[in-house]
Amino acid sequence: MFMFSDYFLQLSNQLTDYLRLHPHWITFTFFISGITSGLPLIGSILPASVLHFTLSVLAIKLGFSLSYIVVIMLLSVIPGDFSGYICGRYFKDKIKYCRLFKKRTIWFERAENVFQKYGGIAIVFGRVSGPLRAITPIVSGIFNINWSLFLLFDFFAGLLWCLTHLGLGYIAVNPTVWKGIQQFCTWF
């Protein structure tokens, strides 16, 4: 009888074996997925959290260090977000007055109020939260947030995002971390 779990396990083992022979594909995939996660349309569709968790598990099983993976992700996430920011800055009027948003100007008014009230914290919160992740850079560009301020807060948000998503993959693979978590939980 055909079992889906057996097929998935076999596919996973084949992928791991291939990546063991060609480790540059892991780095390339991290880099491309990091860039695309910040793009306005693609980033909304791409399940970046699941993809990066899976990639981090594979990378750690193959011997990549967590710090290497975080650096690769940061080097890709920041340019991806900045490209979304540039799109928002350049196409702001075309985006605000396109057919999709023409009748929903209240969305932009609310977003502008949030950015004026909270500033860089809105960038950090938007970048780390799932539904707002892909639109935060473009909205920052639409509202003419200073580019250096955007990059500063986006760097910290990107670092936090990378550490949480990739760190979960590290924890999932590393048995000593699991034992530490279990010991910590028994104290309570």
Side-chain angles (χ1 to χ4, degrees):
M1 181 171 187
F2 176 74
M3 298 290 293
F4 181 74
S5 60
D6 293 338
Y7 175 74
F8 182 73
L9 184 62
Q10 183 182 16
L11 183 66
S12 173
N13 289 337
Q14 289 174 350
L15 180 63
T16 305
D17 291 341
Y18 179 80
L19 290 173
R20 188 171 283 120
L21 295 173
H22 307 285
H24 57 279
W25 282 111
I26 279 247
T27 304
F28 178 76
T29 308
F30 267 119
F31 193 77
I32 294 300
S33 66
I35 286 177
T36 56
S37 71
L39 299 177
L41 294 176
I42 299 170
S44 301
I45 299 167
L46 181 74
S49 300
V50 174
L51 179 64
H52 293 139
F53 172 77
T54 306
L55 285 172
S56 66
V57 167
L58 282 172
I60 294 195
K61 283 174 99 177
L62 293 173
F64 285 83
S65 71
L66 184 62
S67 58
Y68 173 79
I69 299 168
V70 168
V71 168
I72 292 298
M73 283 302 296
L74 272 177
L75 289 175
S76 62
V77 165
I78 302 300
D81 288 351
F82 194 64
S83 64
Y85 172 84
I86 295 296
C87 287
R89 193 123 187 195
Y90 184 75
F91 296 112
K92 69 176 135 195
D93 292 330
K94 291 179 182 177
I95 294 170
K96 281 173 110 173
Y97 302 113
C98 76
R99 226 178 339 153
L100 179 65
F101 298 119
K102 203 172 200 177
K103 294 181 181 177
R104 294 169 182 89
T105 56
I106 192 149
W107 290 357
F108 285 102
E109 291 170 8
R110 288 180 182 167
E112 190 170 20
N113 289 339
V114 167
F115 274 94
Q116 287 177 353
K117 187 174 181 180
Y118 298 106
I121 300 299
I123 294 170
V124 172
F125 178 75
R127 181 64 181 92
V128 209
S129 66
L132 302 175
R133 175 183 46 81
I135 63 168
T136 299
I138 200 165
V139 171
S140 300
I142 289 172
F143 296 128
N144 290 325
I145 303 291
N146 184 330
W147 67 270
S148 57
L149 180 72
F150 172 78
L151 284 176
L152 175 71
F153 282 100
D154 190 56
F155 173 79
F156 288 114
L159 182 63
L160 180 65
W161 187 76
C162 289
L163 288 174
T164 55
H165 285 79
L166 302 177
L168 289 174
Y170 179 76
I171 289 171
V173 172
N174 198 335
T176 57
V177 175
W178 277 113
K179 287 180 184 176
I181 291 172
Q182 288 173 343
Q183 288 175 351
F184 179 76
C185 291
T186 58
W187 291 346
F188 294 102

